[in-house]
Amino acid sequence: MTIEWGRAVQENKKNILDAWMSRSLLLFSGKMAAASPVAEALHQALGMVLDNCEKNSELLTDGLVQLSRILAVQDMPPSQAMSLFFELKKIIPELSLKGSQKQSLKQLDMDALQSRLEELTLQAFDSYMMQREKICQLKLDESKRMLFMQLRRAEA
Amino acid sequence: MSKYVPKLSELKQEFEKKKPALLKEDYSGKEWWDLPVEFRDGNWCFPGKTEVLEDLGFPNPRKWAATDADWQLPDGWEKTIRDGLKSRLKRFRSFKLFLDTCVRCGACADKCHFFLGTGDPKNMPVLRAELIRSVYRNDFPLAEKILKGFSGSRKLTAEVIKEWHLYFNQCTECRRCSVFCPMGIDTAEITMMARELLNLIGVNNNWILAPVSNCNRTGNHLGIEPHTFVQNIESLVEDIEDLTGIKVNPTFNRKGAEILFITPSGDVFGDPGVYTMMGYLLLFHHIGLDYTISTYASEGGNFGMFTSNEMMKKLNAKMYHEAKRLGVKWILGGECGHMWRVVHQYMDTMNGPADFLEEPVSPITGTRFSNAAATKMVHIAEFTADLIHHKKLKLDPKRNDHLLTTFHDSCNVARGMGMFEEPRYVLRSVCNSFHEMAENTIREQTFCCGSGSGLNAEEFMDIRMRGGFPRASAVRQVQETHKVNTLVTICAIDRASLPTLMKYWNPGVSVYGLHELVGNALVMKGEKKRTEDLRESPMTGLGEGEE
Ligand code: SF4
Ligand code: SF4
């Protein structure tokens, strides 16, 4: 079942990725130029996620880490960052209809797609939170490094 | 008027033709200045604390936050800014020139690491400067008359102040944009002026002002008192003895020493700066240098530079004061970025001439540092490179075989004083594995760490990670292609902030000061068998960095 929507994704990958990318850029409300290196990195990460979205794998995890690393330090709340996965729910069926196969996704496939996207969103959220926690840890580590000699004396 | 000056119509045409795509982009039908200014956690630095401002005698001390709707600007703040702008336009011809001469060719647009790392159009240097230029144009009729129709002008409002605060604190004064500007416009200097103006009405940054106040009081950023400063270094002396069996003997405030050594205080209190300090101490012992360290001029860094010209001058003055008091011949300066910009570009005219000092001559090699004839202050990388060149150091680069290195040019040393080769020469002499990052990310084109000019505040972490993204990407490339695990740098802010940047974007890469590697490689007379480097990591077979 999943393979059906998965096939639709693979067959229309370029179009889906491009559409996903332009919808993602809208999240930045005009403050992310499409030609910037961050946008390029974002494109690459979205591509990695899309390539490996059908089932869990190390590559998918890597893609999600790359994606969340970028998103976790942007000027937007987590909910907004995660909302880019909901875009896929609209984009995939829309573009699949126009694909070479001229096929539509059956309701069963839609359900499978829906539940896979939910899984992906939650995984992405975990990954995003890991990055946020990392930021907190980095802040702590940095203060400790700054006070290195003082702490050393205090501990002695 | 010279026939070579282009006509306004020609400039206009050229601008329309050459305007980079990014400038032409459609921001949902909005003018760039209509894009909202939003402060949220991670993109603003805490303002100067009331007591810090009071200590410094700075205006408008109060409790406030950038996220407040009302910033409690003082009565008549508009006049303060206008008068401030007017007087600076008169006093600093470069500032006026930079505001007047931009032809908006867009060459600088995609050169700023903050633009590249955030994608925010207002982080293009041309638009950053435009934030001030648009007000200047509105307030100074002649300029308006000339430029009307060429582009917009706007009124000075509280919203404009908020925008200045946001974007002039997303510029690390790194000057990368100026390398590419055909008119030689230095946006860093525009930022310096903007920050001066903001300080006049109490719009400021505690991460900058607290170190300024500490320096003003005790001489260094953390406010370490003289006895603690000495204790810290003595404790490093003990570490050196444990690791090498050698007892080094630094002296403090010793009158009659030949050389005064000044380094950023991060080398005396922070990790990994202290390992660089251990490297200096070993080096000086190795060559038997007659030097002393001051507990008054206990800071090479100068956050006054990020505050105002007057403050920079005041904080810098202690270097010459102390050199005079101690009666040294010349000053040797440690690894720092902005300290060298201040020393190299401003010290002589601000606080010189230091004619009580001598033109520096290396007591070991006899080399005369005529390039430092004006300031009487020599950069440690240059000093060490000269020692190596004259074969005065016994080095075993194998001791750094666990470190596969690349080199980050600090913006201020590279673009502020044009030093590119000396640190590389030293690095190649003390380790066996060194790979350059991509050509357009090093030397005069180096990318900033994203945390310079007093922006390495913790609460500013999100923007720092974004601003540092281009630098991190270049490191990642050599990490992937050459298994680089060590980023070597000659700047204290880099040593403080790059470890964080690396851990976020490139886990597995650690940050080292150049003289830490020198310290590892130095074969000291009478030393015990060295198995650990100055961080107490095994000298071989480490094979990877942190994490
Ligand atoms: S600052 Fe220089 S490079 Fe940038 S737009 Fe103006 S003239 Fe061109
Ligand atoms: S000085 Fe550096 S940070 Fe500032 S606008 Fe230029 S490139 Fe950007």
Side-chain angles (χ1 to χ4, degrees):
Chain A
M1 276 181 295
T2 23
I3 216 65
E4 286 305 314
W5 71 261
R7 215 179 73 202
V9 169
Q10 296 313 326
E11 282 171 5
N12 301 289
K13 209 163 63 197
K14 191 180 173 311
N15 292 341
I16 293 176
L17 180 57
D18 287 350
W20 197 17
M21 181 65 195
S22 39
R23 300 271 250 275
S24 304
L25 285 182
L26 292 179
L27 294 177
F28 296 83
S29 44
K31 290 195 179 178
M32 177 62 77
S36 69
V38 195
E40 267 169 40
L42 187 67
H43 189 265
Q44 204 180 17
L46 291 176
M48 241 174 122
V49 172
L50 203 58
D51 277 348
N52 301 288
C53 66
E54 284 175 60
K55 57 181 192 310
N56 291 351
S57 66
E58 261 181 45
L59 281 174
L60 174 67
T61 310
D62 282 356
L64 289 174
V65 167
Q66 280 191 31
L67 181 62
S68 55
R69 206 180 265 160
I70 298 168
L71 294 173
V73 288
Q74 302 301 324
D75 279 340
M76 63 177 84
S79 54
Q80 194 175 333
M82 290 302 106
S83 72
L84 64 83
F85 282 91
F86 303 147
E87 297 292 331
L88 273 185
K89 200 182 149 197
K90 283 175 253 160
I91 296 170
I92 294 177
E94 236 172 68
L95 289 180
S96 302
L97 281 174
K98 293 183 204 140
S100 54
Q101 308 278 318
K102 297 269 180 235
Q103 60 190 353
S104 60
L105 288 181
K106 297 189 195 75
Q107 187 53 45
L108 220 52
D109 289 334
M110 282 299 290
D111 293 347
L113 171 63
Q114 167 79 13
S115 70
R116 181 60 185 154
L117 285 180
E118 279 163 9
E119 268 176 69
L120 273 181
T121 313
L122 292 176
Q123 282 180 34
F125 183 66
D126 282 348
S127 184
Y128 181 99
M129 286 315 296
M130 263 169 53
Q131 301 303 330
R132 285 311 309 173
E133 277 175 24
K134 192 169 186 177
I135 289 282
C136 292
Q137 186 63 45
L138 291 175
K139 288 182 187 178
L140 184 69
D141 291 350
E142 202 169 81
S143 330
K144 277 191 179 161
R145 278 202 311 277
M146 193 171 91
L147 299 171
F148 179 65
M149 292 305 277
Q150 264 105 321
L151 291 173
R152 199 167 94 162
R153 234 195 329 273
E155 280 161 13
Chain B
M1 199 181 265
S2 159
K3 63 178 177 176
Y4 298 109
V5 176
K7 292 198 184 78
L8 182 59
S9 55
E10 288 166 4
L11 286 181
K12 253 190 197 174
Q13 216 182 6
E14 179 164 314
F15 174 50
E16 283 313 319
K17 254 195 266 152
K18 286 201 190 150
K19 194 158 54 165
L22 295 167
L23 278 172
K24 283 186 204 149
E25 216 160 328
D26 172 21
Y27 304 111
S28 330
K30 288 175 184 159
E31 287 288 354
W32 59 263
W33 57 52
D34 291 334
L35 288 174
V37 175
E38 283 162 332
F39 288 95
R40 58 185 303 275
D41 286 354
N43 79 359
W44 59 282
C45 296
F46 297 148
K49 288 188 180 151
T50 314
E51 60 272 23
V52 167
L53 264 72
E54 281 164 355
D55 277 353
L56 289 168
F58 274 25
N60 201 15
R62 70 209 183 281
K63 264 202 154 134
W64 67 287
T67 41
D68 293 348
D70 177 6
W71 282 16
Q72 306 166 56
L73 300 179
D75 287 344
W77 66 267
E78 294 96 334
K79 183 169 164 20
T80 309
I81 292 285
R82 276 198 189 102
D83 291 351
L85 186 57
K86 209 183 281 173
S87 91
R88 277 158 189 79
L89 286 166
K90 241 191 227 145
R91 279 161 59 210
F92 305 107
R93 294 195 58 191
S94 54
F95 181 44
K96 181 159 179 8
L97 212 63
F98 295 158
L99 288 188
D100 283 340
T101 54
C102 174
V103 291
R104 276 162 273 152
C105 65
C108 61
D110 58 353
K111 302 304 186 292
C112 174
H113 54 284
F114 276 112
F115 171 66
L116 295 171
T118 64
D120 186 338
K122 283 190 215 168
N123 272 327
M124 292 192 257
V126 51
L127 286 197
R128 193 186 312 288
E130 203 61 22
L131 302 178
I132 262 198
R133 204 176 275 127
S134 52
V135 170
Y136 164 65
R137 219 169 267 144
N138 192 64
D139 285 10
F140 294 81
L142 181 65
E144 189 188 15
K145 216 165 91 193
I146 296 170
L147 292 162
K148 210 164 190 173
F150 187 45
S151 84
S153 57
R154 60 183 177 159
K155 288 215 155 52
L156 182 60
T157 62
E159 273 309 295
V160 168
I161 293 298
K162 289 185 177 179
E163 193 174 42
W164 283 11
H165 188 51
L166 188 67
Y167 289 102
F168 288 113
N169 282 297
Q170 286 185 38
C171 166
T172 42
E173 304 179 4
C174 80
R175 306 173 100 199
R176 188 170 194 269
C177 50
S178 72
V179 172
F180 300 88
C181 174
M183 310 299 284
I185 292 170
D186 185 354
T187 309
E189 292 213 3
I190 298 181
T191 296
M192 287 162 94
M193 289 296 115
R195 290 200 195 169
E196 269 200 44
L197 292 172
L198 289 172
N199 267 298
L200 295 178
I201 56 170
V203 175
N204 46 32
N205 171 349
N206 198 60
W207 188 260
I208 297 175
L209 291 187
V212 166
S213 167
N214 284 336
C215 267
N216 201 36
R217 190 167 42 87
T218 54
N220 56 66
H221 285 168
L222 217 57
I224 303 176
E225 314 239 329
H227 58 285
T228 313
F229 189 82
V230 172
Q231 269 173 12
N232 275 6
I233 296 180
E234 280 174 346
S235 148
L236 298 177
V237 168
E238 282 169 23
D239 288 358
I240 292 176
E241 190 172 7
D242 289 346
L243 280 165
T244 67
I246 301 293
K247 182 139 176 69
V248 299
N249 292 304
T251 61
F252 301 93
N253 307 319
R254 179 166 58 89
K255 287 191 173 167
E258 182 173 0
I259 291 164
L260 168 63
F261 179 62
I262 301 178
T263 197
S265 64
D267 291 351
V268 180
F269 59 71
D271 170 359
V274 289
Y275 306 116
T276 305
M277 186 74 191
M278 288 162 80
Y280 304 139
L281 296 175
L282 278 166
L283 173 74
F284 300 156
H285 188 84
H286 188 86
I287 56 173
L289 194 71
D290 176 14
Y291 75 104
T292 194
I293 297 171
S294 163
T295 54
Y296 161 54
S298 53
E299 178 65 73
N302 187 336
F303 276 25
M305 184 186 168
F306 315 133
T307 311
S308 71
N309 271 277
E310 288 70 23
M311 199 34 98
M312 167 167 65
K313 179 178 170 162
K314 183 176 183 194
L315 298 184
N316 170 259
K318 63 179 181 263
M319 289 190 177
Y320 282 158
H321 281 172
E322 197 60 341
K324 194 169 193 177
R325 186 180 73 90
L326 297 173
V328 299
K329 288 186 182 160
W330 55 276
I331 309 172
L332 180 63
E335 296 180 14
C336 187
H338 71 282
M339 151 175 146
W340 280 104
R341 174 115 155 248
V342 175
V343 167
H344 188 74
Q345 299 195 332
Y346 308 116
M347 181 161 79
D348 178 37
T349 43
M350 268 185 330
N351 290 313
D355 39 20
F356 51 91
L357 293 174
E358 293 175 13
E359 184 173 307
V361 174
S362 168
I364 314 301
T365 66
T367 298
R368 184 170 288 276
F369 295 99
S370 47
N371 54 327
T375 60
K376 318 285 195 295
M377 184 154 172
V378 175
H379 192 292
I380 184 88
E382 209 174 355
F383 181 73
T384 305
D386 174 65
L387 291 169
I388 296 173
H389 180 70
H390 285 94
K391 304 198 172 22
K392 298 292 182 191
L393 303 184
K394 197 163 175 213
L395 296 165
D396 180 3
K398 282 204 299 298
R399 290 178 176 182
N400 282 316
D401 274 357
H402 55 304
L403 307 177
L404 312 176
T405 71
T406 190
F407 182 69
H408 163 73
D409 291 89
S410 127
C411 305
N412 285 301
V413 176
R415 283 188 285 269
M417 65 187 298
M419 181 182 283
F420 309 122
E421 297 312 324
E422 290 84 344
R424 287 179 165 78
Y425 178 72
V426 174
L427 185 54
R428 284 202 177 92
S429 308
V430 298
C431 78
N432 289 316
S433 174
F434 166 60
H435 289 96
E436 290 280 18
M437 286 180 265
E439 205 52 48
N440 60 350
T441 72
I442 55 171
R443 294 195 170 85
E444 68 269 40
Q445 297 190 46
T446 188
F447 274 121
C448 178
C449 59
S451 303
S453 78
L455 298 184
N456 50 326
E458 282 160 32
E459 67 273 14
F460 202 53
M461 196 58 90
D462 293 12
I463 293 288
R464 287 172 49 195
M465 294 303 104
R466 293 160 75 189
F469 179 79
R471 171 40 82 222
S473 303
V475 175
R476 166 160 290 229
Q477 222 179 354
V478 283
Q479 185 187 19
E480 284 169 358
T481 48
H482 299 292
K483 297 194 167 54
V484 160
N485 62 13
T486 301
L487 180 59
V488 178
T489 174
I490 49 169
C491 166
I493 290 182
D494 286 333
R495 279 195 288 280
S497 69
L498 282 175
T500 309
L501 189 77
M502 288 302 111
K503 279 186 183 156
Y504 191 70
W505 294 110
N506 305 329
V509 176
S510 307
V511 177
Y512 287 71
L514 179 65
H515 279 77
E516 179 179 348
L517 271 74
V518 172
N520 285 341
L522 274 176
V523 180
M524 306 292 289
K525 203 167 162 202
E527 70 178 11
K528 67 181 192 191
K529 189 171 163 40
R530 304 265 295 269
T531 53
E532 289 178 337
D533 67 11
L534 296 178
R535 294 184 186 195
E536 299 179 29
S537 301
M539 272 179 160
T540 50
L542 186 70
E544 57 194 355
E546 302 168 358
E547 291 213 7

